[in-house]
Amino acid sequence: MILVGILALIGAGAFSYFSLEQTMGPREVAQEAPLIVAKKETAVVAKPTSTQTTIKKPVVKTPVPANGTLVPTKVIAEKTVVAPGPLRAPTPTTPLPTSTATLSMRGVIEHTNSARAQNGGLPALIENELLDRDAQMKLDDMFAKQYFEHVSPTGIGPADLAKTAGYAYVIVGENLALGDFESDQALVTAWMNSPGHRANILNAHYQEIGVAVGKGTYEGHETWMAVQSFGMPLSSCPATSPALKAQIDTNNIEIARLRTALDAKKVQIEATPTSDSNYNIFVGEFNVLVPEYNALVESNRATVASYNAGVQAFNACISAAGTH
């Protein structure tokens, strides 16, 4: 009985399994879709190799301006000549004795310096042999050409005579006298009584004097002529330096040459792209020239300033001598 019961249970279970399978069919197990994760790509940056370089634009140096300070001051060329109208002695009512009508260079100089001392305490004039020569040439020329003027019939004046005599001057003056004066003192007194001749004798700028006196035939009769040549020598003014002027001229030529080279190189740089391998070469060449140019400009500027200071002092001396 027990065995029959077990078999009955097994049979009932099999029947139920097959019944359910027929009514519901086989069951499928749903599988989850796999999770797909997107891969994040990292950009790889190429590192520069040892052969790679960064082009850096070089700094272009600046030339200093070469302006008007490099121009030397001009030396005043004008010099002063003072020549009042010639003085004629009044015709004496009776002829002068020969012994009292003699003039001398030494006496004229002494009385001239005496007049300067008595009128303002002016320093005595120093006799200069070149001015003596100047005065003697004038005296001889007036007798030879028969004239009595500061300028000869051939156009030779006091400045020309000073140059011929070799007298370098800032200012020269000339007094002339014609006639039979009683003495050296009478001659100087006659000049002092004439405003123009007096001003010449008392000119504070004069430092030196030359005198010539002589007797000869003029306008058909024998008479005396006298010449005073006054001068302020060029050496009394501060000397300018020809050596400095020559150096300035040489420097200015070289500065102009370097400036032309710099301008040409600058044009070349501006026309060249910075990426061009020649760009840095051109800039380097330009920058090599700039210090040389700047140093020369500054050096020449100092030279010009020194030269101009001397010229200004000289010009001031010349101008002061012209006011009398």
Side-chain angles (χ1 to χ4, degrees), residues 21-167:
E21 187 177 16
Q22 290 296 323
T23 57
M24 299 184 67
R27 297 179 64 188
E28 294 181 354
V29 178
Q31 297 182 355
E32 291 184 2
L35 179 61
I36 300 175
V37 179
K39 185 178 181 181
K40 185 177 182 181
E41 296 185 359
T42 303
V44 178
V45 180
K47 295 182 179 180
T49 63
S50 58
T51 58
Q52 292 177 323
T53 57
T54 302
I55 298 176
K56 188 176 181 180
K57 188 174 180 180
V59 176
V60 180
K61 296 180 180 179
T62 305
V64 298
N67 51 26
T69 58
L70 299 187
V71 180
T73 303
K74 291 185 179 180
V75 177
I76 294 177
E78 270 187 54
K79 296 169 187 177
T80 306
V81 176
V82 183
L87 176 69
R88 289 177 180 263
T91 303
T93 54
T94 57
L96 293 173
T98 304
S99 59
T100 62
T102 300
L103 302 178
S104 68
M105 292 173 55
R106 184 64 52 203
V108 171
I109 293 174
E110 288 177 358
H111 287 289
T112 297
N113 283 332
S114 178
R116 285 172 63 86
Q118 293 170 15
N119 292 272
L122 296 173
L125 300 174
I126 300 170
E127 184 179 1
N128 180 281
E129 62 179 7
L130 295 178
L131 287 177
D132 281 340
R133 182 186 173 199
D134 174 291
Q136 189 63 52
M137 286 191 297
K138 180 65 176 179
L139 184 77
D140 294 341
D141 196 55
M142 287 192 296
F143 275 125
K145 294 186 174 65
Q146 291 293 289
Y147 71 95
F148 183 56
E149 298 290 344
H150 288 292
V151 178
S152 74
T154 56
I156 303 300
D160 304 302
L161 289 173
K163 183 177 180 181
T164 302
Y167 186 76

Side-chain angles (χ1 to χ4, degrees), residues 196-247:
H197 299 88
R198 177 188 179 89
N200 234 2
I201 290 173
L202 301 182
N203 190 322
H205 297 296
Y206 293 144
Q207 299 173 9
E208 299 174 332
I209 189 173
V211 170
V213 294
K215 195 171 188 179
T217 301
Y218 179 73
E219 294 182 340
H221 64 275
E222 199 170 57
T223 188
W224 284 88
M225 282 192 184
V227 180
Q228 281 179 316
S229 293
F230 304 98
M232 175 182 175
L234 190 62
S235 58
S236 62
C237 284
T240 58
S241 174
L244 280 181
K245 180 60 168 62
Q247 185 61 56

